[in-house]
Amino acid sequence: GNVHASLQKTDIAVWRPWVDYPIQLQSGIGDAEADLHFSKLAIDAIDADVEFQHLSIGHPNKSKPLIASKLQGFLGWKKGNHTETITLKEFNLALNTGLVVESANGEWVSTIKKNKPWIDAYLSVQSLHMSKVAEAAEYFALSPTWINWIAGVSPNGNIKGLKTAVSGHPDTLQNYSASAEFEQLGIQAFNQVPGFSNLSGSIDLNERKGEV
């Protein structure tokens, strides 16, 4: 079945018994215009325009939650047979770690191919201020390989006009591409990646070639 809900000053935590959130949402107050699809007495799809403040995201091994002072935009979530899809449109996010995302659009599809996990994803971001990215990443459903890589390079700085796409196994991507302009960009040296700081310019790369 389908239900349309207009929610004002609602606590997102009350939906946890019916929605399998991809992150551990603990609380958050705001407004939402949502279309919900039910199957077998459970919600398996949501399309929602949301505006939440003070969103609290929990971690299985940490007592201190991650706080989003602002979460605004269109969110889509769908769960099917071995497939989960998350969609963002004009999405804005501000975290207490200092990470700020402005006008993000994208889609993340997790599925199974040849009995192995597989992802297809794309993302465009108008503006991204990176601060304590590794600290925030630990609260999201990323593979251990990605978490270790983000913690290793520990990126910081400002990025504009980001466009990226990935496809393949979460730990060994078959295809990837990224382009962006950046200011005061810095990363730590990690594995075969050299470290640098206060770098400004642009980047355009894929699995075959790259230009900075």
Side-chain angles (χ1 to χ4, degrees):
N2 295 283
V3 174
H4 178 79
S6 181
L7 309 173
Q8 305 296 320
K9 305 301 179 184
T10 188
D11 187 345
I12 196 170
V14 302
W15 295 94
R16 275 189 305 199
W18 296 279
V19 181
D20 183 17
Y21 293 127
I23 54 178
Q24 294 187 19
L25 292 178
Q26 296 178 337
S27 63
I29 304 298
D31 305 331
E33 292 285 337
D35 290 303
L36 298 86
H37 181 268
F38 292 83
S39 179
K40 298 179 180 179
L41 301 179
I43 298 174
D44 60 6
I46 301 175
D47 289 325
D49 284 300
V50 302
E51 186 173 354
F52 284 99
Q53 297 84 36
H54 306 297
L55 197 69
S56 178
I57 304 169
H59 189 282
N61 302 316
K62 295 185 177 183
S63 58
K64 183 181 178 181
L66 179 68
I67 304 297
S69 59
K70 178 179 73 173
L71 188 153
Q72 179 186 45
F74 174 88
L75 292 174
W77 172 82
K78 184 177 181 181
K79 193 169 186 178
N81 187 23
H82 303 299
T83 302
E84 186 172 22
T85 303
I86 299 173
T87 304
L88 305 175
K89 294 180 182 178
E90 294 302 318
F91 179 77
N92 299 282
L93 175 68
L95 299 179
N96 62 337
T97 58
L99 179 68
V100 178
V101 179
E102 295 182 0
S103 190
N105 296 273
E107 184 176 76
W108 179 285
V109 181
S110 303
T111 187
I112 301 294
K113 286 189 177 182
K114 297 180 180 179
N115 297 317
K116 294 183 178 181
W118 186 275
I119 60 171
D120 286 293
Y122 72 89
L123 177 68
S124 66
V125 180
Q126 179 176 308
S127 176
L128 172 63
H129 176 68
M130 296 187 296
S131 175
K132 298 182 180 179
V133 177
E135 182 179 329
E138 294 179 356
Y139 289 80
F140 296 87
L142 301 175
S143 74
T145 299
W146 285 36
I147 293 291
N148 291 337
W149 189 86
I150 293 171
V153 299
S154 190
N156 63 84
N158 301 307
I159 293 179
K160 294 182 179 180
L162 171 66
K163 295 181 180 179
T164 183
V166 297
S167 177
H169 187 278
D171 293 336
T172 54
L173 296 174
Q174 271 67 37
N175 301 285
Y176 61 86
S177 64
S179 63
E181 297 179 355
F182 50 87
E183 297 176 347
Q184 297 179 323
L185 184 67
I187 64 171
Q188 296 182 130
F190 180 70
N191 287 345
Q192 303 300 315
V193 179
F196 55 81
S197 62
N198 295 319
L199 189 65
S200 296
S202 63
I203 188 170
D204 188 359
L205 61 83
N206 55 42
E207 72 278 3
R208 298 181 301 276
K209 60 181 182 178
E211 181 179 333
V212 178

